[in-house]
Structure formats: structure tokens, C-alpha cells
């Protein structure tokens, strides 16, 4: 009993302990020898039936509660951009309208994130595929991102970064062509 | 609080506008040349044998000393311009130089070593006639000044008046000369024209009249012109009508002794007025008994008065100029005689015997582009073997001073014509041969027909030439680097003239009043070519125009100078190459009619020369060049060519339009009553001016568009009534095409001289306010408003809207001599006003300070616009002086030219001196700083590069290791 045991059949013919108990033994399940050997300490000589696996097999049956969870998760994804808006508003308020490196970085980030999100719209849709309200969620996501970029544009506008005034196009006005040639002066 | 903010704002603003140069930049981008003007009196400093000075008193009212070894100005005193500072007489005694200045108003004594003033005496008013030094027992102690009605004697040591005496019968006798023979008696000679000579002898000690007499001389009209003093108190005169010499002993005063020239076997050239040249080496002694008699323009005779007998010592024919010189006890006569067409020789002759001194020949080579010699100034000195050596300073008609020594080596020349520059232009230098080669390759249209192979060869060959030039350049750099810096000279000669990378080096073409043209390299100030135009009338008007620039290789650049004689009205054209100064092979048209004005058209003929229109007094137009092509073009364009003429005398402004047959029709006329006001100047815009921005951005980010009328003229008038309560200055902005008056402003209780700058959409003018007794600046700006009427084309004939006019005035703490605005290539750089001050400074005043939109109270919007709140005083900040301590005397004009760099504007200030520099109105935003640390930047870059390489390698190794694990 106290013998190390648990060896494979080939080994057990050579093992001293086994020879001490019986002349020979046949084990049908090679795969379970180790398991049996492990269990020997606790349960004694329990031989698992053939085909028994100690690993639990996952339960693949769909449950109602999981479905709810998926829905929730999808809504989280879809509402993400919208939830960021109050935060962005706060940052906007805090950063002020002066043009310096930090407000510019903020604005860039604020503008870049929705654009990035809109660019990877298809990936997001794949994510939302499992949801039953896929289209609604997609729309909400889109609207949220659009709102985010609108906010960024508004911020740009209030910082005066948008070329909306006539002065922004002043440098592109060509000097008018001269229609008359004129010269002269004091009588020499 | 608001004030504090304001102060802060001002501080920030002013910190941003510092334009001083660093100490090591002095003379790097700028140079100055000092001149003295046309020489009137010249004395060599002879009190010391080893003296290296020549003292000059000039017609520009300058008294100066030049170093005779180098020709540099040792010291210089610039007096007032005009008759107030006119130098009437220059007498030299030892170390002292005595000047009579301002028509006998001042008597000044200068110490000649360092140019310090010994003393100055203010004399009584009265028209100055003559001055002389009075010697007594071998020393000179007094100076006599003769005026129209009185004679006064002053001590040489302190200028105090010894005595003053009224002259007898001064209302009828015209006293002209004062003379002293070294024996304390002072003779005053006067003449009653065509009647008699009056002689008054004063005692030098107390002014007592010793003797008074008159001698019949009905042929005499002016003593200084026809008489001289020789020998012992002997007056000798020459008369061309009687062909005789007259002598008069002042002591005996019996009568004039007539000596017919025929008795001396001499003959006067017909139509020539003979003259005399005598010499008094020491004022304490009697004059020499030898004198020159000029009988013809090239005929002199050396005569001697020996024991009452006239002896002809030597006849000089041909002889151009003669002069006496004394050193020690020896007196010599120098005679310049023509040798051939381009050279003349100068020889010394013993004055007593008339014998030629051996080995004293000096060859003076005349500059083919210079004038004829006019005056000879001889500096004689004793050599070690007691023979006489000499150097000579030749004055020529083109105001050049040439200092020569034997046997004809030119020690230095000074171009004093440059002290009187009238107008100038800056012309781009041509491309180098290699650059031109490349240009030629791509410029020719025929190249395409040459075929592929030849094109390839051409390409390869031009690349090869470029490579060669580059290697040569590298080699030169390497070669120069080994030499000490002081030896590396950037010699600019005609051969290596070429445009630099940023077009900072240009050719300055200068036109001077004497009629001499100069081509000056703007980098070094060296004169590269000169050309003397002979027979230029003294009151000629010049107009210099660049017809073809250097951009049209292989056509040479071409400048045209219009010279107009103001008396006859007739004009002539001088066409030349501005880079080499040569006359162009293009023959200018003959202009039989008086010319009123000229007009340069912006279009070119088939040889890329801009067309010049000349308007004659019949208001007919002639074109130059006038090829068939040009005439055809003119016919097509005629309806859009307008010109205006301003007649200041008649107070008339009139506009004309060109007809297709090259006649004109008057389309408008504005008459200003000449009784009340006079047109003093008319300023249009510069044709080469670019305006980058068509408007100004307001605080609320809208645009206020500028009124950029290229045809706008600023006409300045001054009142004829100069009473301080009634005088005024008027400014009229008038469209030169339609004659429409855009704006009119009158500054009451103001007086000229008015200086105007007209550029972009603004006019700045400066005047003297008689009410507040101060100088004031006023600025007018014109705006179209918030919308452009027509953004694509500007036609004066289609402008229904009147522009908005804004105006503001400021107080300026100094009077000014001249004013000009900076000019840059594209007009992006902010503008500055360059103001020449009478003190010799050139001030660069930002236009920002002269802005009529400066608000009285700073608001959010005005701060946004960077407008400085209005302050009536304009400051002169010392860091605004672009010429630091390089004083430019009597600035008459400032010329600005754009360079290839947008930030940089080239400036030339001319007057008595010439100064050239570069200015950076918005600082050098397009150039790395002089002290830019290339080493640091490149080493950091290299280090970063290697660090990246190494870390990349390390990262790779690490990744590999991790993959193995």
C-alpha cells in the first residue's frame, strides 16, 4: 500500500512492491493509471470506468440570463461615446479658450477619438452582432460619436481654429489686376 | 490696474522690437564713405617737414584734413549748408588755419593737428571782400578782414579785434583787395569801375590812415580778376583791350606804368581774357617777383620783375596748368603740359631762373572716364641732397582728387563727386557664367529641335561645368581657411561680379550733380566703374530709369538717364549698361523738342527692354525703343495709358490720355491758385512695390480692406503766406487717371519743408507746426470698408465708392532731413519708416506707431489687433538707429531696395556721406542666426541617430532571446 506504485504496466512487472503483492496484474486503462495512482492515497483502489474524464465538460446550452448580459454589454459599447460627453464638456470648460499646448492636445484628442471610432465602425458592428438590437445600438453609437466630434468642432470654433471668418481667407486674395497704366510727375 | 496692464503690454511690445547690432556685427553688413565736396581752397600743411596733411575747404562748406599717404579723412568739420556756412577765405599760418565763414560773419581759427577750434570771432555784418595775414618783422600776428565799408584787424592768437576802421568814400569806391607786404602797412585797394583805382594805406598798429590816393585806370573793372601783387609792393595788372601790362608802385603811387605786351614779344589769344598768377610764400615777407601770365587756354609765360624791368623767363606752350610752390627758401614753378591724348607731364622749374629742374618729371595719366585737370596743388619738399622733390594733387573737372608722386604713381584718388548724389538705382548683378549656361539651356526654345542626344550632351556638359565650379569653390574655401582672416580679401572686380544666393549684393548706379556716373558694389562700397558725362549744365535735371534688368540673358541690362537742361528745356538720353558702365550700342533718339516728362511702361519690346515714353512740350509722345513692334503694341494699349503733369509755377495738375496716333488729349485739370499756395511735391507709389495683404484683420476677425489704388497721387502744397498764424500745409490725394480728388486735408498753422512717404494705402507726412513750435507727423490711411468692390481688377474709371479715410497726428522730437519706407520682395514683412535726421542718424521707425487706428482707450478688440493705445509723442529710441555711431552727414536721400530675402531690405543713405546697410523690419525670420550652433545641433542629431541604431540592435537581440526562452 505504501509502495510508490502508479507505474505503468511495463514498469510494474519490474517494480519490487507489486511483486510483493501479486504475481501479475493487468490494467486495461493505461490513461487512468496516473489518476488511479493519485487517488490511491485517498480512496483506495478505485478504478474509473473506461471513457471517464476528470475534466469537466463546459455546459454549452444557452441560458436566458447570459443573453441579458450580452445585451447589457452591447449597450455599454453603444452608449460609451455618449457617456464620455459630459466628461469632455468638463474638460472643455476647464481647458479654456486660449491657444496653448494643453488645450490644443485636448481638442486634438477629443476630435481624434470619435473620428477613430467612426473609422472602425465595422469592427464595432461585428462586436454588436450578437445583440438583437444591433441596429439601434449601432445608431446610438454613431450618434454618440457624431456628437463627440461636434463637440470637438464647437471647441475648435470657440478657440477660433476654424476658418469661418473672411480674415482667414485674406492671405489667399490675389492683388487686383491693374487696368490702367499711369505715370508722370512734376515737369522736369 | 488698466494702466498697469497697458504698461506691461507696452513693455512686451517694445521688447519685441529691438534692432540693435551686436558689437561683432559692426561693419559686417554696412559701410560708410565720407566725402568733403568740391575743393575750393587747398593748403598743404607745411609747418613741419614730415607733415602728412592737406587741408581742404570746399564748396560744400566743409573744412577737412586729409592724410596725404592714404587719402583718408583725418578730421572734418561740416558747417551749415547754403550761404550761412560758405567758406569765403582760407588763410594758413603755421599750425593755425584761419577761415572766414558765412559772407564775413565769422572768423575762425582751427588747430590743424587735431582739428580743434582755437577761437571764433563774430564780425560786424557787411559784405565780405577779402582777407589777408599781416606780418611784422618776420612774424605773423594779425589777420585783416576787408568788408564793403570797413576793415578790421584781429589778433591771430585769440581773435580779438585790434582795430576797425571805416573806409573813405565806400559808397562810390568798390574796395576789393587787402594786401600787406610784411612791413605792418595794410593797403586796401578799391576800384571805381572804368575810372580809377583807390588806394588807402593803414598803419597796422593803430589803424591810422597813412596815405590815400587814387590813380586813373579807365580800363579796369575788377582788381582780383586782373591784378596781382608782386615784388616790393608792386601792383601788376593785365588788360586785354590795350594788350598791356600795367604796374603801380603802392608806395610812390604816381601813376600806372604801361608796358605793352608787344614790347615783350607776347601775344594774347583773341577772345581770351589774360590772367596773372603770383605767389607770396610767407605773409610776413614780400611776394615773389616772378609771376605767370596766361595768354591763352594752353599758353603761359613766366615773367620776372627785375630792378624795374620785366623779363620773360620762359614761355610755356602748350601748358594746361601752372602752380608755384615753396619749400624752405626755394620756390619752384610746376607746369603741366599735355603729352598725348591720355597723359600729361608735370615738370618743375626754378622760379628765379626759369630753368628746368632735372629728374622732376611726373606723368599724370588722365582717366578716359574722367574730366580734364582743373587745378594743380603742389607739395614741395627738400630731399636729403637739398634738391626739391614734390608730390602733386590734381583736381579735375569731375571733382576728382588725384594725389601723385614721381614718376607718376597714384597714391590715392578721391571721388568727391559722390558728395553730391542726385539720384540712384540698384540693379541686380548678373548670374555667373555657369548659372547663365544653365539658364540658357532651359531658356532657349530652339533646344527642343536639337534632338534628344544633343540635349543629353548639353545637360551632361552643364552638370560638369557646375561640378567644376563647385570644386573650385571648395578649393578656394580650403585655401582661404589656411590664411589668417585679415588677409582674406573679398576682392570684387568686374570679372567675378555675380549675384549671390540671396541677391543681397547689388550694383548701385549713382548719378551725381557734376555729371559723373558711378557703379558701386553694394557689398564693399568699391567703385567698379565711373563715367563722366561732359558738358552737363550745372542746373540739369536727371531721371534714371532701368529699362532692362539682368534677368534677360543674353541681352545686357540697360539703364537710361534722361538729362534735361532746365534753361533750354532740351533733353538728351544716355543709355548705358549699369553693370559695366559702358555706353550701350543702342543709339538713343535725338530729341529736338523740349521734354516735359517721361513714363516707363510695364510692357517690353521683343528684346525685353521696357518701353520709355517721352512727352514733349507739344504734348506729343515719342517712344524709346520705337520699333514697329512697340508702336503696334502702343496702338493696342493706347486707350489704357494715362499720364499726368504737374506744373508747379502755374499751379496746374493735368491728366492726359494717349491716342493711337501718339498724340494726347487732356482729360482733366486741377488748378490750384498760385497766389495762396504752391505745389511742392507729388508722390506716386513705387512701381516695384508689392502689397501682400489686401486688408487688415480686425479684432472680431472680420476684414477691413485696404484702398490700394495704384494710380493715387499725394500732392503736397505749402502756403505762400509764411506768417505763422496764416501759413498752412495742404495734402491732396488725387487719382492720376481720372483727376478725382479722393481726399483733401489742410494742416493749419503749419509750415514746410514737408517730407512725404506714400505707399500701400497710407501717406505719412511731416511738417513744422508753427502754433506749437514743434515737428509733427501725420498719417492718412485709406480703406475700402468691409467688402471689396472688385477683387480681381482695379480700374480708376470704375470706382463708385469713396474710401474711408482715417488720420492721426503725432509729435516728433526732432526735425528730419529725409524720409523713406522700407521695401521688401513680397511685402509680407512689416513696414518701417527710415528717417534721416539732421544729427546724422538714420532712424528706423516702425509704421505700427504711425497708425490712425490706434485707439485712445485700449479695448479687448484693439488688444487683439495689437494696436498700441494712442500717445501723441513718438519716441526716438537709440536702438532704432540703424547706423549706430556711423554718422551720415547731411542726408539728402534714402534709397531702399528689396533683396532676395523677404526679411531683408537694402538701404542706402546719401548726402555728403554715403552709407549702406541692411534692415530687418520684422527681424530675420527667414535666416538662421549668426551665432546658430551648428556643431551642437549636428552632434546631437548624430548622437541621436547612433543611439537609435544601437537601441534598435539591442531591441532585436532582446526579442530574439525572448523568443528562444
Amino acid at each position: 500500500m505504501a509502495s510508490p506504485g502508479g507505474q505503468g504496466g511495463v514498469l510494474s512487472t519490474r517494480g519490487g512492491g507489486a511483486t510483493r503483492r501479486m504475481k501479475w496484474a493487468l490494467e486495461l486503462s493505461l490513461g487512468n493509471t496516473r489518476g488511479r495512482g493519485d487517488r490511491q492515497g485517498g480512496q483506495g483502489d478505485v478504478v474509473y470506468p473506461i471513457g471517464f474524464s476528470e475534466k469537466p465538460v463546459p455546459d454549452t446550452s444557452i441560458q436566458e440570463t447570459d443573453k441579458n448580459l450580452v445585451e447589457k454589454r452591447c449597450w455599454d459599447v453603444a452608449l460609451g461615446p455618449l457617456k464620455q460627453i459630459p466628461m469632455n464638456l468638463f474638460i472643455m470648460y476647464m481647458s479654456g479658450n486660449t491657444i496653448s499646448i494643453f488645450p490644443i492636445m485636448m481638442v486634438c484628442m477629443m476630435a481624434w477619438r470619435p473620428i477613430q471610432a467612426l473609422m472602425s465602425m465595422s469592427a464595432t458592428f461585428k462586436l454588436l452582432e450578437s445583440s438583437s438590437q444591433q441596429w439601434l445600438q449601432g445608431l446610438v453609437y454613431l450618434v454618440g460619436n457624431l456628437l463627440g466630434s461636434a463637440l470637438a468642432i464647437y471647441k475648435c470654433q470657440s478657440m477660433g481654429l476654424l476658418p469661418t471668418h473672411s480674415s482667414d481667407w485674406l492671405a489667399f486674395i490675389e492683388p487686383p489686376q491693374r487696368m490702367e497704366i499711369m505715370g508722370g510727375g512734376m515737369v522736369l | 490696474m488698466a494702466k498697469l496692464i497697458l504698461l506691461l503690454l507696452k513693455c512686451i511690445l517694445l521688447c519685441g522690437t529691438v534692432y540693435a547690432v551686436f558689437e561683432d556685427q559692426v561693419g559686417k553688413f554696412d559701410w560708410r564713405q565720407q566725402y568733403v565736396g568740391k575743393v575750393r581752397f587747398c593748403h598743404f600743411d607745411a609747418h613741419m617737414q614730415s607733415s602728412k596733411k592737406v587741408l581742404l575747404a570746399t564748396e560744400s562748406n566743409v573744412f577737412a584734413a586729409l592724410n596725404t599717404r592714404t587719402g583718408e579723412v583725418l578730421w572734418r568739420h561740416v558747417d551749415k549748408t547754403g550761404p550761412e556756412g560758405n567758406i569765403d577765405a582760407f588763410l594758413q599760418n603755421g599750425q593755425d588755419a584761419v577761415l572766414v565763414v558765412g559772407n564775413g560773419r565769422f572768423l575762425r581759427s582751427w588747430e590743424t593737428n587735431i582739428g580743434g577750434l582755437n577761437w571764433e570771432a563774430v564780425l560786424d555784418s557787411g559784405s565780405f571782400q577779402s582777407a589777408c595775414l599781416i606780418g611784422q618783422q618776420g612774424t605773423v600776428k594779425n589777420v585783416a578782414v576787408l568788408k564793403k565799408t570797413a576793415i578790421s584787424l584781429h589778433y591771430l592768437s585769440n581773435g580779438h579785434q585790434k582795430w576797425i576802421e571805416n573806409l573813405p568814400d565806400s559808397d562810390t569806391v568798390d574796395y576789393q583787395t587787402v594786401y600787406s607786404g610784411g612791413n605792418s602797412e595794410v593797403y586796401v585797394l578799391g576800384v571805381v569801375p572804368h575810372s580809377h583805382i583807390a588806394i588807402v594805406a593803414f598803419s597796422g598798429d593803430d589803424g591810422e590812415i597813412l596815405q590815400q590816393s587814387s590813380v586813373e585806370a579807365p580800363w579796369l573793372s575788377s582788381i582780383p580778376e586782373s591784378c596781382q601783387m608782386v615784388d616790393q609792393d608792386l601792383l601788376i595788372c593785365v588788360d586785354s583791350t590795350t594788350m598791356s601790362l600795367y604796374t603801380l608802385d603802392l608806395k610812390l603811387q604816381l601813376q600806372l606804368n604801361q608796358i605793352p605786351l608787344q614790347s615783350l614779344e607776347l601775344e594774347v589769344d583773341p577772345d581770351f581774357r589774360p590772367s596773372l598768377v603770383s605767389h607770396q610764400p610767407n605773409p610776413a615777407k614780400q611776394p615773389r617777383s616772378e609771376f605767370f601770365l596766361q595768354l591763352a587756354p594752353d599758353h603761359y609765360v613766366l615773367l620776372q620783375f627785375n630792378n624795374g624791368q620785366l623779363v620773360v623767363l620762359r614761355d610755356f606752350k602748350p601748358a594746361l596748368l601752372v602752380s608755384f610752390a615753396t619749400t624752405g627758401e626755394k620756390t619752384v614753378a610746376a607746369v603741366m603740359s599735355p603729352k598725348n591724348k591720355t597723359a600729361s607731364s608735370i615738370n618743375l622749374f626754378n622760379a628765379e631762373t626759369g630753368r628746368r629742374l632735372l629728374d622732376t618729371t611726373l606723368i599724370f595719366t588722365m582717366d578716359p572716364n574722367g574730366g580734364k585737370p582743373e587745378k594743380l596743388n603742389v607739395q614741395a619738399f627738400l630731399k636729403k641732397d637739398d634738391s626739391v622733390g614734390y608730390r602733386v594733387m590734381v583736381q579735375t573737372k569731375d571733382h576728382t582728387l588725384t594725389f601723385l608722386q614721381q614718376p607718376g604713381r597714384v597714391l590715392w584718388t578721391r571721388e568727391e563727386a559722390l558728395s553730391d548724389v542726385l539720384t540712384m538705382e540698384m540693379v541686380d548683378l548678373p548670374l555667373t557664367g555657369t548659372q547663365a549656361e544653365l539658364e540658357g539651356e532651359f531658356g532657349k526654345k530652339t533646344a527642343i529641335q536639337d534632338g534628344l542626344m544633343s540635349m543629353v550632351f548639353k545637360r551632361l556638359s552643364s552638370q560638369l561645368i557646375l561640378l567644376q565650379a563647385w570644386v573650385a569653390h571648395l578649393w578656394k574655401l580650403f585655401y582661404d581657411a589656411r590664411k589668417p582672416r585679415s588677409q582674406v580679401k573679398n576682392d570684387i572686380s568686374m570679372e567675378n561680379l555675380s549675384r549671390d544666393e540671396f541677391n543681397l549684393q547689388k550694383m548701385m548706379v549713382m548719378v551725381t550733380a557734376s555729371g559723373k556716373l558711378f557703379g558701386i558694389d553694394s557689398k564693399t562700397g568699391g567703385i567698379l566703374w565711373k563715367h563722366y558725362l561732359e558738358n552737363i549744365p550745372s542746373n540739369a535735371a536727371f531721371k534714371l530709369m532701368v529699362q532692362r534688368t539682368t534677368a534677360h540673358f543674353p541681352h545686357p541690362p540697360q539703364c537710361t538717364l534722361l538729362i534735361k537742361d532746365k534753361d533750354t528745356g532740351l533733353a538728351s538720353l544716355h543709355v548705358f549698361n549699369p553693370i559695366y558702365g559702358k555706353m550701350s550700342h543702342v543709339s538713343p533718339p535725338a530729341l529736338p523738342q523740349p521734354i516735359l516728362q517721361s513714363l516707363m511702361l510695364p510692357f517690353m519690346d521683343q528684346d525685353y527692354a521696357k518701353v520709355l515714353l517721352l512727352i514733349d512740350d507739344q504734348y506729343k509722345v515719342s517712344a524709346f525703343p520705337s520699333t514697329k513692334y512697340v508702336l503696334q503694341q502702343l496702338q493696342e494699349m493706347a486707350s489704357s495709358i494715362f499720364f499726368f503733369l504737374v506744373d508747379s509755377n502755374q499751379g496746374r495738375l493735368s491728366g492726359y490720355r494717349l491716342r493711337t496716333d501718339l498724340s494726347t488729349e487732356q482729360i482733366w485739370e486741377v488748378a490750384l491758385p498760385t497766389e495762396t499756395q504752391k505745389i511742392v511735391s507729388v508722390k506716386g507709389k513705387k512701381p516695384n512695390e508689392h502689397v501682400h495683404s489686401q486688408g487688415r484683420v480686425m479684432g472680431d476677425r472680420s476684414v477691413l480692406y485696404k484702398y490700394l489704388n495704384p494710380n493715387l497721387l499725394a500732392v503736397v502744397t505749402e502756403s505762400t503766406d509764411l506768417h505763422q498764424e496764416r501759413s498752412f500745409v495742404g495734402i491732396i490725394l488725387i487719382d492720376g487717371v481720372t483727376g478725382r480728388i479722393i481726399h483733401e486735408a489742410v494742416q493749419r498753422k503749419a509750415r514746410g519743408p514737408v517730407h512725404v512717404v506714400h505707399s500701400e494705402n497710407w501717406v505719412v507726412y511731416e511738417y513744422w507746426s508753427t502754433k506749437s513750435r514743434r515737428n509733427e507727423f501725420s498719417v492718412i490711411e485709406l480703406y475700402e470698408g468691409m467688402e471689396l468692390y472688385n477683387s480681381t481688377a482695379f480700374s480708376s474709371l470704375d470706382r463708385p465708392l469713396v474710401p474711408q479715410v482715417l488720420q492721426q497726428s503725432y509729435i516728433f522730437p526732432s526735425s528730419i532731413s529725409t524720409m523713406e519706407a522700407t521695401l521688401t520682395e513680397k511685402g509680407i514683412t512689416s513696414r518701417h519708416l527710415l528717417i534721416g535726421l539732421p544729427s546724422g542718424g538714420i532712424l528706423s521707425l516702425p509704421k505700427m506707431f504711425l497708425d490712425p487706428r490706434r485707439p485712445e482707450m485700449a479695448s479687448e478688440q484693439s488688444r487683439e489687433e495689437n494696436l498700441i493705445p494712442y500717445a501723441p509723442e513718438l519716441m526716438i529710441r537709440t536702438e532704432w538707429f540703424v547706423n549706430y555711431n556711423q554718422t551720415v552727414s547731411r542726408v539728402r536721400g534714402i534709397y531702399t531696395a528689396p533683396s532676395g530675402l523677404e526679411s531683408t531690405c537694402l538701404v542706402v543713405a546719401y548726402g555728403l556721406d554715403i552709407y549702406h546697410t541692411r534692415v530687418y523690419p520684422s527681424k530675420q525670420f527667414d535666416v538662421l542666426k549668426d551665432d546658430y550652433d551648428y556643431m551642437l545641433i549636428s552632434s546631437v542629431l548624430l548622437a541621436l541617430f547612433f543611439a537609435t541604431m544601437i537601441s534598435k540592435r539591442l531591441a532585436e537581440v532582446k526579442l530574439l532571446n525572448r523568443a528562444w526562452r
Side-chain angles (χ1 to χ4, degrees), chain B residues 190-201:
Chain B
V191 65
V192 178
H194 309 296
S195 169
H196 61 271
I197 303 174
I199 301 153
V200 187

Side-chain angles (χ1 to χ4, degrees), chain A:
Chain A
M1 288 294 278
S3 73
Q7 284 95 355
V10 192
L11 285 172
S12 51
T13 48
R14 281 187 273 152
T19 42
R20 197 179 28 176
R21 221 175 357 148
M22 54 201 83
K23 268 256 199 261
W24 57 273
L26 174 80
E27 271 193 62
L28 286 170
S29 158
L30 250 175
N32 285 333
T33 44
R34 196 174 294 167
R36 208 208 71 198
D38 288 339
R39 278 165 180 255
Q40 265 174 353
Q43 292 172 352
D45 289 339
V46 181
V47 178
Y48 291 107
I50 297 166
F52 174 79
S53 164
E54 265 185 281
K55 278 184 192 164
V57 176
D59 184 4
T60 51
S61 67
I62 301 159
Q63 287 174 6
E64 198 59 30
T65 48
D66 292 356
K67 198 149 195 187
N68 281 341
L69 270 175
V70 168
E71 281 297 278
K72 210 176 159 199
R73 179 88 198 98
C74 286
W75 274 114
D76 272 352
V77 171
L79 288 173
L82 273 178
K83 278 181 187 163
Q84 271 181 354
I85 285 175
M87 180 66 178
N88 279 351
L89 275 172
F90 180 68
I91 293 172
M92 262 170 63
Y93 172 71
M94 289 305 284
S95 60
N97 281 342
T98 52
I99 296 183
S100 60
I101 183 83
F102 279 103
I104 290 280
M105 270 163 64
M106 302 273 187
V107 169
C108 281
M109 234 139 75
M110 273 167 62
W112 180 238
R113 232 183 287 157
I115 291 165
Q116 211 175 15
L118 289 174
M119 301 257 269
S120 57
M121 200 66 186
S122 55
T124 320
F125 258 78
K126 215 162 259 172
L127 206 71
L128 299 174
E129 224 163 30
S130 52
S131 167
S132 59
Q133 288 164 308
Q134 183 192 357
W135 292 108
L136 183 66
Q137 281 162 349
L139 195 72
V140 169
Y141 185 76
L142 185 73
V143 168
N145 276 322
L146 285 179
L147 269 176
S149 45
L151 209 62
I153 287 170
Y154 170 73
K155 181 68 185 169
C156 282
Q157 158 80 17
S158 60
M159 280 172 78
L161 294 177
L162 292 187
T164 50
H165 289 88
S166 50
S167 60
D168 300 316
W169 305 97
L170 182 63
F172 299 100
I173 302 176
E174 291 292 317
Q177 200 198 338
R178 193 175 169 177
M179 302 304 284
E180 292 99 11
I181 300 164
M182 188 218 59
M186 286 260 197
V187 171
L188 284 178

Side-chain angles (χ1 to χ4, degrees), chain A residues 157 160-168 170-171 173-188, chain B residues 562 564 596-597 599 637 640-646 680 693-695 697 701 703 711 736 792-797:
Chain A
Q157 158 80 17
L161 294 177
L162 292 187
T164 50
H165 289 88
S166 50
S167 60
D168 300 316
L170 182 63
I173 302 176
E174 291 292 317
Q177 200 198 338
R178 193 175 169 177
M179 302 304 284
E180 292 99 11
I181 300 164
M182 188 218 59
M186 286 260 197
V187 171
L188 284 178
Chain B
L562 175 69
K564 184 184 166 181
L596 295 182
Q597 250 302 345
L599 162 63
M637 309 262 301
S640 66
I641 296 173
F642 298 82
F643 61 92
F644 70 96
L645 290 173
V646 181
V680 287
S693 182
Q694 298 297 303
V697 181
R701 301 179 64 202
V703 177
N711 308 322
T792 52
F794 192 101
S795 169
S796 289
L797 302 168

Side-chain angles (χ1 to χ4, degrees), chain B residues 344-397:
Chain B
S344 21
S345 63
I346 302 167
N347 283 298
L348 283 195
F349 295 86
N350 189 328
E352 276 165 44
T353 58
R355 223 175 286 143
R356 199 171 85 89
L357 298 174
L358 288 174
D359 297 329
T360 55
T361 309
L362 191 152
I363 306 294
F364 172 65
T365 316
M366 278 184 278
D367 186 358
N369 294 318
K372 292 215 160 54
E374 204 175 30
K375 207 175 165 199
L376 206 60
N377 301 295
V378 180
Q379 182 193 25
F381 52 87
L382 283 177
K383 287 187 194 163
K384 274 180 188 151
D385 58 352
D386 220 30
S387 64
V388 180
Y390 72 117
R391 298 189 193 93
V392 63
M393 189 171 82
V394 184
Q395 277 171 254
T396 44
K397 279 227 167 69

Side-chain angles (χ1 to χ4, degrees), chain B residues 541-598:
Chain B
F542 295 94
K543 194 170 178 184
L544 181 64
M545 290 151 288
V546 182
Q547 274 199 300
R548 193 193 294 129
T549 61
T550 39
H552 306 287
F553 186 83
H555 297 285
Q558 185 178 320
C559 267
T560 305
L561 180 68
L562 175 69
I563 308 150
K564 184 184 166 181
D565 187 344
K566 273 189 181 161
D567 294 336
T568 61
L570 289 173
S572 61
L573 290 176
H574 175 66
V575 186
F576 62 100
N577 181 334
I579 304 299
Y580 301 108
K582 284 180 203 132
M583 280 269 272
S584 172
H585 60 270
V586 181
S587 54
L591 304 167
Q593 290 281 345
I595 296 297
L596 295 182
Q597 250 302 345
S598 70

Side-chain angles (χ1 to χ4, degrees), chain A residues 187-188, chain B residues 564 568-571 591-597 614-622 643 645 647 652 656 664:
Chain A
V187 171
L188 284 178
Chain B
K564 184 184 166 181
T568 61
L570 289 173
L591 304 167
Q593 290 281 345
I595 296 297
L596 295 182
Q597 250 302 345
L614 297 158
I615 300 124
D616 62 23
D617 63 344
Q618 304 296 311
Y619 303 103
K620 282 227 164 46
V621 167
S622 54
F643 61 92
L645 290 173
D647 195 334
R652 203 160 56 93
Y656 299 86
T664 57

